[in-house]
Amino acid sequence: MNQSFIRRLFHGRSLKEETVAAFGGAGTMFLIQPPCDVWFFAWLAPLPWLWLIMRKTTHLPPRFWQMLWCAGFVHWLATIHWLRLPHPATSLGWVCLSAYLAVYLPVFVWSARLLMRRWGWPLLAAAPISWVACEQLRGSLFGGFTFAMLGHSQWRWTALLQIADIAGAIGLSGIVMLVAVALFQLIRSWRTKETGRELVLTTSILGACIFYGHWRLATTPDPIIAPLKALLVQGSIDTELKHDPNAFQEVTQQYDKLTRSGLLESSSLPDLILWPETMWRIGLLEIDPNEQLPASVVTAILSESELANGIDNDDISLQALCRQRLEEERLEPLAAYAKSYGTNWLVGVDKQVVTPSAVTGTQYFNCAVLLDAGGRVQDTYAKMKPVLFGEYVPFAETFPWLYRLSPLPVGLTAGRQPLVTSVAGRRLTCTICYETALPATIRSLVRYCRQIDGGPDIIANLTNDGWFWGSSELDMHLTAAIFRSVEVRTPIVIAANTGFSASIDGCGRLRACGPRRKTATLRVEVVPDGRWTLWLLWGSFLPGICVMITATVTLEHWVRRGTLS
């Protein structure tokens, strides 16, 4: 932003109050999120922005909306400051994402004012509907960004949190905004009958949500099977976007030492050990049977007696045997560690698939591998939702040269199949990293598992948050998982590098949590929940209604202005 733009933006007395309110709201809304985390202030934090909605001016100049965007931009720069930490190049992503998210503040104010002016709706309806619509859109468009929602501030209020199994985390954001509007109206005109009615209505809705929450907590089902005993292993290794040839030894030694220490804490073995995402640093290998291996590779891998049994190096049997040897070579060290632990082990590992169907000849997957006590691979899950620009560049599978424009050496290919497996008689599924932040993804996963085998009893999440150096990203990531557990009534166990490893029950209660940027082992017992929820039935139906209302009033406004034929 150049100086002339800033002078034009703030010139004139008419917008001084609005500027203070816009940037004041940016500050108060920042305070309710980590790292400040003044969560109880969330009920008052939106008040400056609500004041902007209620301004009597019928026409606001373009510089008002520009100023509002600037306030949103500053808010998001502060809130997601951790996005600049992984690599200097991610600072560009930090600025671009903040610029995009900032658009939703003027959209919120504009659409709420439109509902009030066009349809005559009261602020008590207009503001929550517009806010929910904006959160729904930013959680869906371009892959979705769901961190730092207004409702996330209330994760500690367990009774109120239960409403998420009806309306999701966004629904709780709507409740918080509703109460904020009622308090704003109470401060603004507390003596009017209309304010009294609105206050009674808001109190009734909030009371109903709390009553529902206490009822849900009181009706938690008794376990019909024994809890799963799990060992969550949390190392503390900061991650950098560069190849370190010594990483395998350092990472493996730390995690192996922690695992063996955790196993010694009890006389009985856990049912499952969990290591975080990509903490096994030797990538697995899979070679497509259609891939023709070079003769030099076949000769180097197979013995002379084995080669003598084939006609030439292109013989089908020799190719198959060589593929098998190459794949086993990568797997053998992993299997050896699994045997030494003597129990089931879910571990994060990269995987290469060599195939002629890929433009570059190789596909890369971010995987979770489940091995049994004998070191045999029982199941593999490949991450289905890679992070846009963090793990892949759009269209780069077709145009690989795009990776030269980014700090990523290669990109991930999305997995195609959810994990549906069993560990010690409990049905288990798995997610990796940011997938727990995506409500629709977790909902689809649980619905799929319940159709297949009635599960899952437990969701395991493997995360590497070492990219963010112990910042507030860890808090936001954990909060998202807490809401997912309530929405689908399924306990979640998290193994996270640098934290927070955690065990969360089906009511969103934090049963165990590791430290920030320190090593730890957590012995947890995970009790299945399995209740059905309206969220599983209808998903974002209620927030979707808010989006439709906002879109309809916007369309009507444009049509009446003659901008559409």
Side-chain angles (χ1 to χ4, degrees):
M1 288 182 282
N2 57 43
Q3 292 183 353
S4 61
F5 172 77
I6 295 174
R7 280 198 298 270
R8 290 197 308 271
L9 189 61
F10 296 107
H11 177 71
R13 296 179 57 85
S14 59
L15 288 184
K16 284 187 177 180
E17 292 179 342
E18 287 85 349
T19 301
V20 171
F23 283 88
T28 55
M29 293 292 277
F30 168 74
L31 290 175
I32 67 174
Q33 300 291 347
C36 300
D37 210 10
V38 190
W39 64 275
F40 49 84
F41 188 56
W43 307 94
L44 296 172
L47 264 59
W49 291 347
L50 295 176
W51 180 82
L52 292 172
I53 296 173
M54 291 298 291
R55 295 297 284 161
K56 297 296 185 182
T57 309
T58 55
H59 176 72
L60 292 168
R63 61 194 178 95
F64 169 81
W65 303 107
Q66 294 168 356
M67 177 272 297
L68 210 54
W69 176 87
C70 287
F73 183 54
V74 169
H75 165 75
W76 283 108
L77 281 176
T79 302
I80 59 171
H81 69 95
W82 40 262
L83 198 55
R84 61 190 167 81
L85 298 174
H87 186 274
T90 62
S91 293
L92 177 62
W94 169 51
V95 172
C96 292
L97 181 58
S98 297
Y100 159 67
L101 295 174
V103 170
Y104 288 103
L105 176 54
V107 169
F108 161 62
V109 173
W110 182 78
S111 58
R113 286 173 61 86
L114 206 58
L115 283 169
M116 296 176 70
R117 289 189 358 253
R118 285 285 183 187
W119 291 0
W121 286 18
L123 181 65
L124 192 70
I129 286 174
S130 296
W131 185 266
V132 167
C134 288
E135 284 203 352
Q136 177 62 31
L137 288 172
R138 79 167 169 94
S140 304
L141 298 178
F142 310 114
F145 185 82
T146 62
F147 282 175
M149 288 185 169
L150 182 59
H152 284 176
S153 62
Q154 302 304 304
W155 69 267
R156 295 173 181 83
W157 194 346
T158 307
L160 185 60
L161 176 63
Q162 305 310 306
I163 198 67
D165 76 352
I166 294 177
I170 297 176
L172 183 51
S173 294
I175 297 297
V176 176
M177 182 59 74
L178 180 76
V179 174
V181 172
L183 293 174
F184 174 77
Q185 296 288 55
L186 185 64
I187 295 170
R188 182 168 167 266
S189 53
W190 62 276
R191 290 185 176 181
T192 64
K193 290 183 179 179
E194 182 181 357
T195 299
R197 288 193 294 269
E198 290 183 348
L199 190 61
V200 169
L201 177 61
T202 302
T203 305
S204 300
I205 292 174
L206 180 61
C209 292
I210 296 171
F211 175 82
Y212 173 80
H214 282 292
W215 172 70
R216 276 304 232 178
L217 291 170
T219 55
T220 303
D222 295 327
I224 56 176
I225 59 175
L228 179 82
K229 297 178 181 179
L231 175 64
L232 312 180
V233 183
Q234 175 181 310
S236 183
I237 297 174
D238 294 325
T239 308
E240 297 181 2
L241 198 60
K242 62 181 181 180
H243 176 68
D244 182 358
N246 299 318
F248 169 72
Q249 185 175 1
E250 177 191 354
V251 174
T252 305
Q253 283 181 352
Q254 182 177 117
Y255 273 88
D256 181 55
K257 183 179 178 181
L258 286 168
T259 302
R260 296 186 189 283
S261 174
L263 292 173
L264 292 174
E265 290 177 1
S266 174
S267 57
S268 61
L269 286 172
D271 300 313
L272 179 65
I273 299 170
L274 293 93
W275 279 23
E277 173 191 16
T278 65
M279 286 301 105
W280 182 262
R281 301 306 302 155
I282 300 178
L284 299 184
L285 178 66
E286 180 182 324
I287 303 174
D288 190 327
N290 295 318
E291 178 73 22
Q292 188 71 22
L293 298 174
S296 59
V297 173
V298 177
T299 304
I301 296 298
L302 300 183
S303 65
E304 292 183 5
S305 60
E306 290 168 333
L307 291 171
N309 293 329
I311 301 173
D312 54 46
N313 289 344
D314 294 332
D315 184 76
I316 294 176
S317 61
L318 290 183
Q319 287 280 322
L321 183 58
C322 187
R323 286 195 301 269
Q324 180 184 343
R325 290 288 170 77
L326 288 169
E327 293 172 358
E328 289 176 349
E329 184 181 10
R330 297 284 191 94
L331 181 60
E332 282 173 0
L334 187 64
Y337 274 83
K339 290 177 184 178
S340 70
Y341 297 148
T343 188
N344 300 293
W345 182 27
L346 185 66
V347 55
V349 59
D350 292 323
K351 183 177 182 179
Q352 295 173 270
V353 176
V354 179
T355 173
S357 63
V359 174
T360 60
T362 307
Q363 293 176 328
Y364 298 88
F365 295 88
N366 185 352
C367 294
V369 177
L370 177 65
L371 301 102
D372 64 15
R376 295 174 291 271
V377 174
Q378 298 299 299
D379 252 310
T380 300
Y381 168 71
K383 186 177 183 180
M384 298 176 67
K385 298 290 182 179
V387 178
L388 180 66
F389 294 114
E391 293 177 318
Y392 78 101
V393 175
F395 310 112
E397 286 197 355
T398 306
F399 307 104
W401 55 266
L402 288 171
Y403 281 111
R404 297 185 214 141
L405 307 178
S406 79
L408 296 175
V410 293
L412 293 183
T413 301
R416 299 177 181 83
Q417 187 73 23
L419 177 71
V420 182
T421 191
S422 178
V423 173
R426 289 79 163 184
R427 296 161 297 191
L428 176 76
T429 190
C430 183
T431 61
I432 295 177
C433 198
Y434 187 69
E435 289 178 323
T436 51
L438 303 173
T441 297
I442 302 302
R443 174 178 174 265
S444 298
L445 171 65
V446 172
R447 284 174 60 91
Y448 176 84
C449 292
R450 292 193 176 184
Q451 290 172 1
I452 297 297
D453 65 354
D457 296 317
I458 299 137
I459 298 174
N461 175 255
L462 309 185
T463 289
N464 179 12
D465 276 341
W467 302 100
F468 302 106
W469 302 71
S471 67
S472 53
E473 189 276 343
L474 277 63
D475 306 81
M476 294 181 184
H477 203 168
L478 177 61
T479 300
I482 289 171
F483 275 86
R484 299 297 86 77
S485 68
V486 177
E487 289 166 354
V488 298
R489 293 296 175 189
T490 305
I492 298 177
V493 288
I494 304 168
N497 180 46
T498 72
F500 295 114
S501 296
S503 176
I504 308 164
D505 71 9
C507 292
R509 291 174 291 207
L510 202 55
R511 296 301 190 182
C513 185
R516 185 190 305 272
R517 212 178 177 189
K518 293 181 180 178
T519 62
T521 54
L522 304 178
R523 279 262 192 172
V524 299
E525 294 190 359
V526 189
V527 179
D529 189 311
R531 287 174 286 178
W532 193 259
T533 72
L534 284 174
W535 172 259
L536 281 171
L537 178 66
W538 62 26
S540 297
F541 173 72
L542 295 180
I545 291 176
C546 296
V547 173
M548 289 182 63
I549 291 171
T550 304
T552 301
V553 72
T554 301
L555 186 65
E556 181 192 60
H557 171 71
W558 284 343
V559 168
R560 288 191 176 184
R561 289 189 61 183
T563 56
L564 292 179
S565 59

